[in-house]
């Protein structure tokens, strides 16, 4: 079983070392970055189960990093490290989308416990494997500038479902449409549209 991945972002090397050691001993796999831009690159390569980030960092702050990460990966639990350990900070951190916060000086057991809770919560919301694969493709393509990826995958998925329905109904369109929850006219229009688009693509290539 793969170890759950934690992304740790802090410009203080001693904090990165101590937290990485504690989390590794608790069964996590840890990758670390000392700034927000490097953290975003790591996020694009492999999405962790949890991200922990300091608030005060040179360049991109932890809050700016969290805002960007949340826009790209809404389901990612993010824990922020802050020196302001008070009720106001707890409320504010949740309002801006943080899963939880770690006050400085932090307790290592608390850090481990928060990560374990974040992963437990995430597993309850976990997508089925086929949806997870689609989600990874959508996110990767979208952030590379491919903004038509949503329409493309929707069409490909519909075509796949139609193909399966037609095979199960032995090519009977009325039965296939019923399996899909469509009317026969809807199925016919879909098939005609795909045929026209396919012919148009072939003509463009010729």
């Amino acid at each position: 079983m793969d170890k759950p991945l934690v992304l740790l972002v802090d410009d203080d090397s001693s904090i990165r070392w101590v937290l990485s050691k504690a989390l590794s001993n608790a069964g996590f796999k840890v990758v670390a970055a000392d700034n927000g831009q490097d953290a975003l690159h790591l996020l694009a390569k492999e999405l962790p189960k949890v991200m922990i980030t300091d608030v005060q960092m040179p360049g991109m702050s932890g809050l700016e990093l969290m805002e960007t990460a949340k826009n790209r990966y809404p389901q990612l639990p993010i824990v922020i490290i802050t020196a302001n350990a008070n009720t106001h900070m707890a409320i504010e951190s949740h309002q801006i989308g943080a899963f939880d916060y770690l006050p400085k000086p932090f307790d290592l057991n608390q850090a481990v416990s928060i990560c374990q809770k974040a992963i437990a919560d995430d597993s309850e919301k976990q997508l089925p494997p086929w949806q997870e694969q689609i989600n990874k493709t959508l996110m990767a393509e979208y952030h590379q500038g491919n903004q038509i990826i949503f329409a493309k995958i929707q069409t490909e998925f519909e075509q796949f479902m139609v193909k399966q329905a037609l095979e199960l109904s032995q090519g009977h369109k009325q039965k296939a449409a019923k399996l899909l929850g469509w009317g026969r006219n809807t199925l016919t229009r879909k098939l005609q549209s795909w045929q026209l688009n396919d012919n148009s693509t072939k003509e463009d290539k010729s």
Side-chain angles (χ1 to χ4, degrees):
M1 186 176 178
D2 293 338
K3 294 181 178 180
L5 181 64
V6 175
L7 172 58
L8 174 59
V9 191
D10 200 304
D11 61 314
D12 189 324
S13 59
S14 62
I15 290 179
R16 291 199 308 273
W17 187 88
V18 170
L19 263 178
S20 294
K21 187 74 172 175
L23 290 168
S24 296
N25 289 341
F28 293 94
K29 177 184 174 183
V30 182
V31 293
D34 61 7
N35 64 80
Q37 288 296 341
D38 285 352
L40 291 175
H41 289 311
L42 289 172
L43 283 172
K45 288 182 180 178
E46 183 178 5
L47 191 62
K49 291 293 186 180
V50 188
M51 182 172 80
I52 302 174
T53 180
D54 192 13
V55 171
Q56 299 296 331
M57 293 188 295
M60 180 183 291
S61 72
L63 297 182
E64 290 171 329
L65 169 61
M66 187 176 75
E67 182 179 5
T68 302
K70 274 294 184 182
N71 284 335
R72 297 181 183 179
Y73 317 101
Q75 301 302 318
L76 175 64
I78 299 176
V79 180
I80 59 175
I81 302 173
T82 175
N84 300 318
N86 53 45
T87 304
H88 175 72
M89 185 62 212
I91 295 172
E92 184 180 3
S93 66
H94 286 292
Q95 285 177 340
I96 58 179
F99 177 79
D100 209 333
Y101 77 105
L102 274 172
K104 290 182 181 179
F106 51 80
D107 180 275
L108 291 176
N109 290 330
Q110 182 186 10
V112 169
S113 177
I114 287 173
C115 287
Q116 289 172 336
K117 186 175 184 300
I119 289 175
D121 283 6
D122 182 60
S123 64
E124 293 175 3
K125 300 179 290 186
Q126 197 163 8
L127 295 171
W130 66 274
Q131 288 185 11
E132 186 65 39
Q133 190 58 47
I134 291 174
N135 185 54
K136 287 180 180 178
T137 302
L138 285 171
M139 293 302 103
E141 291 288 333
Y142 179 78
H143 293 304
Q144 289 173 17
N146 183 7
Q147 300 204 0
I148 64 169
I149 187 62
F150 284 82
K152 181 175 183 290
I153 286 185
Q154 181 180 353
T155 298
E156 289 176 352
F157 186 72
E158 281 190 347
Q159 288 174 336
F160 169 77
M161 294 298 290
V162 166
K163 180 183 176 184
Q164 296 304 109
L166 286 169
E167 286 182 2
L168 289 171
S169 64
Q170 299 180 331
H172 194 291
K173 289 184 180 179
Q174 187 70 38
K175 291 180 180 178
K178 188 174 181 180
L179 287 173
L180 293 163
W182 296 348
R184 181 188 171 97
N185 290 341
T186 300
L187 177 57
T188 301
R189 282 198 301 271
K190 292 277 187 183
L191 291 169
Q192 289 174 344
S193 172
W194 294 333
Q195 184 65 40
L196 287 171
N197 288 336
D198 187 50
N199 290 339
S200 175
T201 302
K202 289 177 182 177
E203 289 173 4
D204 288 342
K205 290 181 178 178
S206 62

